[in-house]
């Protein structure tokens, strides 16, 4: 079994675990999403990704990846995001983390800045207006 297929199996197992765990959560009513909506969407998305990887696994990564420092840097960025969650306002923190992540992946400053601002603003509006979550 190749690396991408192993990853597909792990993602598929994770997706099934998420879907089984959230099966009893209410999906929502009268146009208001319930607590089961986002985990189920995540589970379905992971299941679809798993299926795509099983269908066409591609090739495994070369021994020396071009951005070999981006993976530990992205993991450290996520740890910093969690640690600063209550310290820095959500929109600002998310924007800075996205900007840093985009730069880590090689995106130019202009594209990274535009993408980070658009995504952070969209997420803020989605959570506050769509889901009623206040930060």
């Amino acid at each position: 079994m190749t690396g991408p297929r192993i990853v597909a199996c792990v993602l598929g197992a994770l997706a099934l675990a998420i879907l089984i765990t959230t099966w009893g959560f209410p999906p929502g009513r009268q146009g208001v999403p319930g607590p089961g909506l986002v985990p189920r969407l995540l589970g379905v998305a992971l299941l679809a990704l798993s299926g795509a990887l099983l269908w066409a696994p591609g090739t495994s990564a070369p021994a020396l990846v071009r951005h070999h420092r981006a993976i530990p840097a992205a993991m450290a960025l996520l740890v910093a995001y969690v640690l600063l969650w209550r310290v820095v306002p959500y929109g600002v923190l998310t924007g800075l983390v996205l900007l840093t992540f985009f730069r880590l992946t090689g995106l130019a400053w202009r594209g990274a800045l535009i993408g980070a601002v658009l995504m952070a603003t969209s997420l803020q509006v989605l959570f506050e207006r769509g889901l009623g979550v206040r930060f």
Side-chain angles (χ1 to χ4, degrees):
M1 187 176 270
T2 63
R5 288 212 163 118
I6 293 171
V7 170
C9 290
V10 170
L11 286 177
L14 180 64
L16 290 174
I18 291 171
L19 290 171
I20 290 169
T21 303
T22 61
W23 188 260
F25 292 6
R29 59 170 87 150
Q30 297 176 354
V32 177
L37 178 69
V38 174
R40 285 187 193 139
L41 288 176
L42 176 66
V44 169
L46 285 175
L47 200 56
L49 179 62
S50 172
L53 279 175
L54 283 172
W55 180 263
T59 60
S60 59
L64 190 59
V65 181
R66 189 178 120 200
H67 297 292
H68 66 279
R69 291 188 183 129
I71 293 171
M75 292 169 68
L77 189 61
L78 289 173
V79 169
Y81 186 68
V82 169
L83 292 175
L84 294 172
W85 182 260
R86 296 286 179 199
V87 179
V88 181
Y90 172 78
V92 174
L93 179 62
T94 302
L96 289 174
V97 167
L98 285 170
L99 176 64
T100 307
F101 179 75
F102 289 152
R103 289 294 298 147
L104 280 174
T105 58
L107 201 59
W109 275 104
R110 184 177 182 183
L113 186 61
I114 291 170
V117 168
L118 287 176
M119 287 180 70
T121 305
S122 299
L123 285 170
Q124 182 87 24
V125 169
L126 172 73
F127 277 112
E128 286 190 359
R129 304 285 172 128
L131 299 175
V133 176
R134 300 284 178 222
F135 295 103

